[in-house]
Amino acid sequence: MSSQQKQSARRSAGTPAAPEPSNGSRPARLTAAAALTAVEGLALAALGAYMLIDGLTGSPDSPQQAEMGGLTVLALAVLPLVAARGLWLRRRWSRGPSLITQIVALPVAWTLVHGGGALVAGGVVLAVAALVVLVLLVNPTATEALGIGPRENP
């Protein structure tokens, strides 16, 4: 029996495929993860806007490259912002994009730390935020609030 047939059988039997989030309040851990993910997205959006505006009005070495970089960073800012909204609304799908955002942030933080100067502080803040969100999102309280339960054994 295929997994689709098993899911169909469970649905027709009236048992949900996975537990739904409880209707209680949002756990503080999930709220913190959503807030930190939103802050990361807003920081990316601000950086993208700065790069775009600098490319249009400033005098960068390559205006075309600055504009394209700004648009790219703005597009990248959408993922954590959408994930943060999903976490805030306790949507199951939002955990994956948020986890991916944090995992991608770690090498960026590493690069910033090795950049020297003021970049070190930015890298440390980014690394700490990414690690905190990762820990918050794998916590059983957060996974339960998102309706993510243990997998069933076949």
Side-chain angles (χ1 to χ4, degrees), residues 58-136:
S59 57
D61 293 338
S62 170
Q64 198 173 29
Q65 190 174 15
E67 293 162 8
M68 201 57 175
L71 288 173
T72 302
V73 173
L74 279 172
L76 289 173
V78 171
L79 181 64
L81 291 172
V82 169
R85 178 163 163 66
L87 289 172
W88 186 261
L89 297 174
R90 295 173 47 195
R91 301 292 190 252
R92 171 186 295 182
W93 58 263
S94 62
R95 183 173 176 243
S98 185
L99 288 172
I100 290 168
T101 299
Q102 308 319 313
I103 291 168
V104 168
L106 291 173
V108 173
W110 180 263
T111 303
L112 290 173
V113 166
H114 290 317
L119 295 177
V120 173
V124 169
V125 168
L126 180 59
V128 168
L131 289 171
V132 167
V133 173
L134 283 170
V135 168
L136 291 171

Side-chain angles (χ1 to χ4, degrees), residues 23-52:
N23 291 334
S25 64
R26 182 182 321 99
R29 290 177 176 148
L30 192 58
T31 302
L36 282 172
T37 302
V39 167
E40 290 170 340
L42 290 172
L44 270 176
L47 176 63
Y50 171 78
M51 289 173 66
L52 184 62

Side-chain angles (χ1 to χ4, degrees), residues 6-26:
K6 287 178 187 176
Q7 285 179 345
S8 295
R10 277 194 297 253
R11 285 187 188 128
S12 63
T15 57
E20 291 297 320
S22 62
N23 291 334
S25 64
R26 182 182 321 99

